[in-house]
Amino acid sequence: MDLQIQQRVALVCGAGSGLGRAMALSLAQEGVKVAVTGRNLEKLAETVALIQQQGGTAQTWQLDLAAPEKFDDVLNDIHQHWGDIDILINNSGGPPPATAQGTDAGIWQQQFSLMVSSLIQLTDKVLPAMRQRGWGRIITSTSSGVIAPIPNLALSNALRMSLLGWSKTLAREVAADGVTVNVLVPGRIATDRVSQLDAIKAKRENSTADAVAEKSRQGIPAGRYGAPEEYGATAAFLASQQASYITGTIMRVDGGMIDAI
């Protein structure tokens, strides 16, 4: 299927690894010019190299979600290079494990600024041009914890959930201007982040990472962890012309894992 997004410009946050890299690769395969952003320039360069090996177009920009005062500089540079952003992939790193009680207020405030406030500010900066052109895609990657809270990940569960309310509200505000706003929810996708969480759980339960992963697979109807490429392909579809009537929704890529309807 031709997704009809060739030559569009995408900014992908956190594109140096994991789900961010997967989404950047999938967009590039569709002919999108991808601004590969994040903090680690070495990892970003690896993503760009992978895209270029596939014949795609990408360039690195260092964008730290903890420094929103520098967003304008990055966006202006991208604009001079390729033009305005057509597709924004909001993707932040996961916070440290934490319980719902007893976590320092400063950590809550720090993670809210990094995971929520910064993404909202970035979106606000690219939206006016999208609305003026009558076309745009805002896709926010979250966690399965926004539907079924994950034990010991209180920061992620609570803060990412606020992005759902914001995204749904924003979708109604900009739909008439040809801008769609959607949320992606990953299940157990085989990334370094999931491996780290499995290792942490194994230590907490006096088990092994392999045993934890096997138990997790047993709870997934598909019987396996998802491939990052499958997640990336879903993001690319939501960015497509064909998905122009899909907005304000939450799309799960979880192999049937999440029990809740």
Side-chain angles (χ1 to χ4, degrees):
M1 179 187 293
D2 178 6
L3 299 185
Q4 300 177 39
I5 49 177
Q6 297 92 342
Q7 301 304 307
R8 293 287 187 183
V9 178
L11 188 161
V12 181
C13 298
S17 62
L19 299 180
R21 174 176 287 179
M23 291 185 283
L25 287 167
S26 291
L27 288 168
Q29 289 169 0
E30 297 299 326
V32 175
K33 300 173 183 177
V34 182
V36 174
T37 75
R39 292 179 297 177
N40 188 318
L41 288 174
E42 184 176 347
K43 289 185 176 181
L44 297 177
E46 291 175 1
T47 301
V48 169
L50 289 171
I51 289 173
Q52 291 175 343
Q53 288 170 15
Q54 299 175 161
T57 302
Q59 184 166 320
T60 294
W61 276 273
Q62 191 170 40
L63 186 148
D64 186 352
L65 293 176
E69 68 277 3
K70 297 181 180 179
F71 287 175
D72 283 337
D73 292 339
V74 175
L75 293 173
N76 288 337
D77 198 36
I78 295 172
H79 177 81
Q80 291 177 10
H81 198 72
W82 284 330
D84 290 317
I85 302 298
D86 298 299
I87 301 163
L88 174 64
I89 306 293
N90 283 321
N91 175 51
S92 68
T99 57
Q101 60 178 333
T103 299
D104 185 79
I107 295 177
W108 281 101
Q109 292 170 353
Q110 177 194 48
Q111 292 300 319
F112 179 84
S113 295
L114 182 64
M115 297 173 57
V116 181
S117 178
S118 61
L119 298 182
I120 293 173
Q121 290 179 66
L122 183 60
T123 302
D124 280 347
K125 289 182 180 298
V126 303
L127 266 175
M130 288 182 178
R131 300 181 74 178
Q132 186 175 21
R133 292 193 309 275
W135 200 97
R137 301 288 184 264
I138 307 294
I139 300 169
T140 301
S141 181
T142 57
S143 160
S144 63
V146 302
I147 299 173
I150 303 169
N152 205 44
L153 290 182
L155 289 166
S156 178
N157 297 337
L159 298 179
R160 293 192 195 279
M161 194 172 292
S162 65
L163 289 170
L164 269 62
W166 163 76
S167 184
K168 181 67 173 179
T169 306
L170 179 62
R172 296 181 64 88
E173 294 176 358
V174 300
D177 298 315
V179 179
T180 66
V181 186
N182 292 293
V183 171
L184 269 178
V185 172
R188 306 294 289 179
I189 309 296
T191 63
D192 289 342
R193 165 72 173 172
V194 168
S195 295
Q196 290 167 4
L197 291 175
D198 283 350
I200 291 170
K201 185 175 182 180
K203 184 176 181 180
R204 190 170 68 246
E205 297 179 354
N206 195 28
S207 180
T208 67
D210 287 343
V212 168
E214 177 57 29
K215 186 176 180 180
S216 292
R217 285 192 288 269
Q218 291 174 5
I220 301 171
R224 62 180 177 86
Y225 282 9
E229 294 81 6
E230 293 172 304
Y231 193 79
T234 307
F237 175 72
L238 284 178
S240 72
Q241 183 62 34
Q242 288 87 337
S244 60
Y245 203 60
I246 301 173
T247 193
T249 194
I250 301 169
M251 186 169 290
R252 308 177 190 190
V253 188
D254 70 342
M257 181 191 77
I258 303 171
D259 288 334
I261 295 174

PDB file of all heavy atoms in Angstrom, residues 15-39:
ATOM      1  N   ALA A  15      14.627   9.163  18.843  1.00  0.00           N
ATOM      2  CA  ALA A  15      14.788   8.261  17.700  1.00  0.00           C
ATOM      3  C   ALA A  15      16.116   7.521  17.695  1.00  0.00           C
ATOM      4  O   ALA A  15      16.435   6.830  16.731  1.00  0.00           O
ATOM      5  CB  ALA A  15      14.636   9.050  16.400  1.00  0.00           C
ATOM      6  N   GLY A  16      16.894   7.637  18.762  1.00  0.00           N
ATOM      7  CA  GLY A  16      18.194   6.993  18.787  1.00  0.00           C
ATOM      8  C   GLY A  16      18.157   5.509  19.072  1.00  0.00           C
ATOM      9  O   GLY A  16      19.146   4.806  18.846  1.00  0.00           O
ATOM     10  N   SER A  17      17.023   5.000  19.538  1.00  0.00           N
ATOM     11  CA  SER A  17      16.942   3.581  19.868  1.00  0.00           C
ATOM     12  C   SER A  17      15.483   3.187  20.057  1.00  0.00           C
ATOM     13  O   SER A  17      14.580   4.035  20.009  1.00  0.00           O
ATOM     14  CB  SER A  17      17.727   3.272  21.153  1.00  0.00           C
ATOM     15  OG  SER A  17      17.174   3.980  22.255  1.00  0.00           O
ATOM     16  N   GLY A  18      15.252   1.906  20.265  1.00  0.00           N
ATOM     17  CA  GLY A  18      13.951   1.397  20.653  1.00  0.00           C
ATOM     18  C   GLY A  18      12.809   1.754  19.728  1.00  0.00           C
ATOM     19  O   GLY A  18      12.927   1.724  18.497  1.00  0.00           O
ATOM     20  N   LEU A  19      11.679   2.106  20.326  1.00  0.00           N
ATOM     21  CA  LEU A  19      10.475   2.401  19.555  1.00  0.00           C
ATOM     22  C   LEU A  19      10.643   3.648  18.700  1.00  0.00           C
ATOM     23  O   LEU A  19      10.110   3.718  17.586  1.00  0.00           O
ATOM     24  CB  LEU A  19       9.283   2.559  20.507  1.00  0.00           C
ATOM     25  CG  LEU A  19       8.926   1.327  21.349  1.00  0.00           C
ATOM     26  CD1 LEU A  19       7.737   1.624  22.248  1.00  0.00           C
ATOM     27  CD2 LEU A  19       8.654   0.115  20.468  1.00  0.00           C
ATOM     28  N   GLY A  20      11.374   4.634  19.203  1.00  0.00           N
ATOM     29  CA  GLY A  20      11.611   5.842  18.422  1.00  0.00           C
ATOM     30  C   GLY A  20      12.355   5.535  17.142  1.00  0.00           C
ATOM     31  O   GLY A  20      11.994   6.013  16.055  1.00  0.00           O
ATOM     32  N   ARG A  21      13.402   4.715  17.256  1.00  0.00           N
ATOM     33  CA  ARG A  21      14.163   4.315  16.056  1.00  0.00           C
ATOM     34  C   ARG A  21      13.260   3.529  15.098  1.00  0.00           C
ATOM     35  O   ARG A  21      13.295   3.753  13.880  1.00  0.00           O
ATOM     36  CB  ARG A  21      15.363   3.482  16.445  1.00  0.00           C
ATOM     37  CG  ARG A  21      16.114   2.907  15.247  1.00  0.00           C
ATOM     38  CD  ARG A  21      17.368   2.153  15.671  1.00  0.00           C
ATOM     39  NE  ARG A  21      18.420   3.072  16.098  1.00  0.00           N
ATOM     40  CZ  ARG A  21      19.620   2.677  16.541  1.00  0.00           C
ATOM     41  NH1 ARG A  21      19.883   1.378  16.643  1.00  0.00           N
ATOM     42  NH2 ARG A  21      20.532   3.564  16.902  1.00  0.00           N
ATOM     43  N   ALA A  22      12.458   2.629  15.629  1.00  0.00           N
ATOM     44  CA  ALA A  22      11.577   1.823  14.780  1.00  0.00           C
ATOM     45  C   ALA A  22      10.595   2.700  14.004  1.00  0.00           C
ATOM     46  O   ALA A  22      10.344   2.461  12.817  1.00  0.00           O
ATOM     47  CB  ALA A  22      10.821   0.807  15.635  1.00  0.00           C
ATOM     48  N   MET A  23      10.048   3.710  14.658  1.00  0.00           N
ATOM     49  CA  MET A  23       9.102   4.592  13.981  1.00  0.00           C
ATOM     50  C   MET A  23       9.797   5.442  12.923  1.00  0.00           C
ATOM     51  O   MET A  23       9.262   5.667  11.829  1.00  0.00           O
ATOM     52  CB  MET A  23       8.372   5.462  15.008  1.00  0.00           C
ATOM     53  CG  MET A  23       7.429   4.659  15.891  1.00  0.00           C
ATOM     54  SD  MET A  23       6.419   5.659  17.031  1.00  0.00           S
ATOM     55  CE  MET A  23       7.630   6.052  18.299  1.00  0.00           C
ATOM     56  N   ALA A  24      10.998   5.902  13.233  1.00  0.00           N
ATOM     57  CA  ALA A  24      11.764   6.682  12.261  1.00  0.00           C
ATOM     58  C   ALA A  24      12.073   5.853  11.023  1.00  0.00           C
ATOM     59  O   ALA A  24      11.937   6.327   9.880  1.00  0.00           O
ATOM     60  CB  ALA A  24      13.062   7.183  12.902  1.00  0.00           C
ATOM     61  N   LEU A  25      12.477   4.605  11.213  1.00  0.00           N
ATOM     62  CA  LEU A  25      12.801   3.719  10.088  1.00  0.00           C
ATOM     63  C   LEU A  25      11.574   3.461   9.222  1.00  0.00           C
ATOM     64  O   LEU A  25      11.652   3.494   7.983  1.00  0.00           O
ATOM     65  CB  LEU A  25      13.367   2.402  10.616  1.00  0.00           C
ATOM     66  CG  LEU A  25      14.784   2.442  11.183  1.00  0.00           C
ATOM     67  CD1 LEU A  25      15.098   1.161  11.950  1.00  0.00           C
ATOM     68  CD2 LEU A  25      15.799   2.625  10.067  1.00  0.00           C
ATOM     69  N   SER A  26      10.438   3.218   9.856  1.00  0.00           N
ATOM     70  CA  SER A  26       9.231   2.926   9.087  1.00  0.00           C
ATOM     71  C   SER A  26       8.768   4.137   8.277  1.00  0.00           C
ATOM     72  O   SER A  26       8.336   3.989   7.128  1.00  0.00           O
ATOM     73  CB  SER A  26       8.112   2.462  10.025  1.00  0.00           C
ATOM     74  OG  SER A  26       8.410   1.187  10.572  1.00  0.00           O
ATOM     75  N   LEU A  27       8.847   5.313   8.855  1.00  0.00           N
ATOM     76  CA  LEU A  27       8.475   6.516   8.122  1.00  0.00           C
ATOM     77  C   LEU A  27       9.406   6.742   6.935  1.00  0.00           C
ATOM     78  O   LEU A  27       8.959   7.085   5.831  1.00  0.00           O
ATOM     79  CB  LEU A  27       8.489   7.727   9.053  1.00  0.00           C
ATOM     80  CG  LEU A  27       7.357   7.787  10.082  1.00  0.00           C
ATOM     81  CD1 LEU A  27       7.640   8.860  11.121  1.00  0.00           C
ATOM     82  CD2 LEU A  27       6.018   8.069   9.387  1.00  0.00           C
ATOM     83  N   ALA A  28      10.697   6.532   7.154  1.00  0.00           N
ATOM     84  CA  ALA A  28      11.664   6.730   6.078  1.00  0.00           C
ATOM     85  C   ALA A  28      11.412   5.758   4.929  1.00  0.00           C
ATOM     86  O   ALA A  28      11.607   6.105   3.752  1.00  0.00           O
ATOM     87  CB  ALA A  28      13.079   6.562   6.617  1.00  0.00           C
ATOM     88  N   GLN A  29      10.985   4.540   5.249  1.00  0.00           N
ATOM     89  CA  GLN A  29      10.679   3.561   4.210  1.00  0.00           C
ATOM     90  C   GLN A  29       9.533   4.017   3.313  1.00  0.00           C
ATOM     91  O   GLN A  29       9.414   3.553   2.177  1.00  0.00           O
ATOM     92  CB  GLN A  29      10.351   2.207   4.855  1.00  0.00           C
ATOM     93  CG  GLN A  29      11.554   1.507   5.460  1.00  0.00           C
ATOM     94  CD  GLN A  29      11.173   0.316   6.318  1.00  0.00           C
ATOM     95  OE1 GLN A  29       9.990  -0.010   6.468  1.00  0.00           O
ATOM     96  NE2 GLN A  29      12.164  -0.339   6.895  1.00  0.00           N
ATOM     97  N   GLU A  30       8.699   4.922   3.839  1.00  0.00           N
ATOM     98  CA  GLU A  30       7.575   5.447   3.062  1.00  0.00           C
ATOM     99  C   GLU A  30       7.940   6.725   2.311  1.00  0.00           C
ATOM    100  O   GLU A  30       7.066   7.396   1.754  1.00  0.00           O
ATOM    101  CB  GLU A  30       6.387   5.701   3.986  1.00  0.00           C
ATOM    102  CG  GLU A  30       5.838   4.457   4.645  1.00  0.00           C
ATOM    103  CD  GLU A  30       5.323   3.426   3.652  1.00  0.00           C
ATOM    104  OE1 GLU A  30       4.791   3.841   2.601  1.00  0.00           O
ATOM    105  OE2 GLU A  30       5.455   2.219   3.921  1.00  0.00           O
ATOM    106  N   GLY A  31       9.224   7.075   2.312  1.00  0.00           N
ATOM    107  CA  GLY A  31       9.659   8.249   1.582  1.00  0.00           C
ATOM    108  C   GLY A  31       9.574   9.544   2.358  1.00  0.00           C
ATOM    109  O   GLY A  31       9.703  10.637   1.788  1.00  0.00           O
ATOM    110  N   VAL A  32       9.371   9.446   3.670  1.00  0.00           N
ATOM    111  CA  VAL A  32       9.313  10.633   4.526  1.00  0.00           C
ATOM    112  C   VAL A  32      10.727  11.104   4.837  1.00  0.00           C
ATOM    113  O   VAL A  32      11.632  10.291   5.058  1.00  0.00           O
ATOM    114  CB  VAL A  32       8.555  10.313   5.830  1.00  0.00           C
ATOM    115  CG1 VAL A  32       8.589  11.495   6.796  1.00  0.00           C
ATOM    116  CG2 VAL A  32       7.114   9.913   5.528  1.00  0.00           C
ATOM    117  N   LYS A  33      10.928  12.412   4.871  1.00  0.00           N
ATOM    118  CA  LYS A  33      12.192  12.990   5.320  1.00  0.00           C
ATOM    119  C   LYS A  33      12.139  13.044   6.843  1.00  0.00           C
ATOM    120  O   LYS A  33      11.260  13.704   7.404  1.00  0.00           O
ATOM    121  CB  LYS A  33      12.385  14.386   4.740  1.00  0.00           C
ATOM    122  CG  LYS A  33      12.405  14.437   3.218  1.00  0.00           C
ATOM    123  CD  LYS A  33      12.440  15.874   2.740  1.00  0.00           C
ATOM    124  CE  LYS A  33      12.380  15.962   1.232  1.00  0.00           C
ATOM    125  NZ  LYS A  33      12.338  17.383   0.753  1.00  0.00           N
ATOM    126  N   VAL A  34      13.058  12.364   7.493  1.00  0.00           N
ATOM    127  CA  VAL A  34      12.952  12.182   8.940  1.00  0.00           C
ATOM    128  C   VAL A  34      14.018  12.979   9.687  1.00  0.00           C
ATOM    129  O   VAL A  34      15.221  12.774   9.490  1.00  0.00           O
ATOM    130  CB  VAL A  34      13.062  10.697   9.318  1.00  0.00           C
ATOM    131  CG1 VAL A  34      12.895  10.526  10.834  1.00  0.00           C
ATOM    132  CG2 VAL A  34      12.017   9.871   8.574  1.00  0.00           C
ATOM    133  N   ALA A  35      13.555  13.875  10.547  1.00  0.00           N
ATOM    134  CA  ALA A  35      14.430  14.561  11.488  1.00  0.00           C
ATOM    135  C   ALA A  35      14.584  13.647  12.705  1.00  0.00           C
ATOM    136  O   ALA A  35      13.652  13.485  13.493  1.00  0.00           O
ATOM    137  CB  ALA A  35      13.838  15.907  11.895  1.00  0.00           C
ATOM    138  N   VAL A  36      15.744  13.029  12.803  1.00  0.00           N
ATOM    139  CA  VAL A  36      16.037  12.065  13.860  1.00  0.00           C
ATOM    140  C   VAL A  36      16.554  12.848  15.068  1.00  0.00           C
ATOM    141  O   VAL A  36      17.648  13.402  15.029  1.00  0.00           O
ATOM    142  CB  VAL A  36      17.077  11.042  13.368  1.00  0.00           C
ATOM    143  CG1 VAL A  36      17.503  10.116  14.489  1.00  0.00           C
ATOM    144  CG2 VAL A  36      16.513  10.251  12.193  1.00  0.00           C
ATOM    145  N   THR A  37      15.774  12.910  16.131  1.00  0.00           N
ATOM    146  CA  THR A  37      16.133  13.759  17.261  1.00  0.00           C
ATOM    147  C   THR A  37      16.246  12.973  18.561  1.00  0.00           C
ATOM    148  O   THR A  37      15.664  11.905  18.718  1.00  0.00           O
ATOM    149  CB  THR A  37      15.120  14.908  17.459  1.00  0.00           C
ATOM    150  OG1 THR A  37      13.920  14.385  18.049  1.00  0.00           O
ATOM    151  CG2 THR A  37      14.791  15.589  16.136  1.00  0.00           C
ATOM    152  N   GLY A  38      16.996  13.552  19.485  1.00  0.00           N
ATOM    153  CA  GLY A  38      17.216  12.963  20.789  1.00  0.00           C
ATOM    154  C   GLY A  38      18.432  13.608  21.417  1.00  0.00           C
ATOM    155  O   GLY A  38      18.912  14.646  20.951  1.00  0.00           O
ATOM    156  N   ARG A  39      18.956  12.981  22.452  1.00  0.00           N
ATOM    157  CA  ARG A  39      20.097  13.566  23.162  1.00  0.00           C
ATOM    158  C   ARG A  39      21.433  12.955  22.759  1.00  0.00           C
ATOM    159  O   ARG A  39      22.437  13.648  22.701  1.00  0.00           O
ATOM    160  CB  ARG A  39      19.896  13.399  24.678  1.00  0.00           C
ATOM    161  CG  ARG A  39      18.758  14.229  25.248  1.00  0.00           C
ATOM    162  CD  ARG A  39      18.611  13.996  26.734  1.00  0.00           C
ATOM    163  NE  ARG A  39      18.254  12.615  27.045  1.00  0.00           N
ATOM    164  CZ  ARG A  39      18.123  12.141  28.279  1.00  0.00           C
ATOM    165  NH1 ARG A  39      18.355  12.916  29.319  1.00  0.00           N
ATOM    166  NH2 ARG A  39      17.786  10.859  28.469  1.00  0.00           N
TER     167      ARG A  39
END
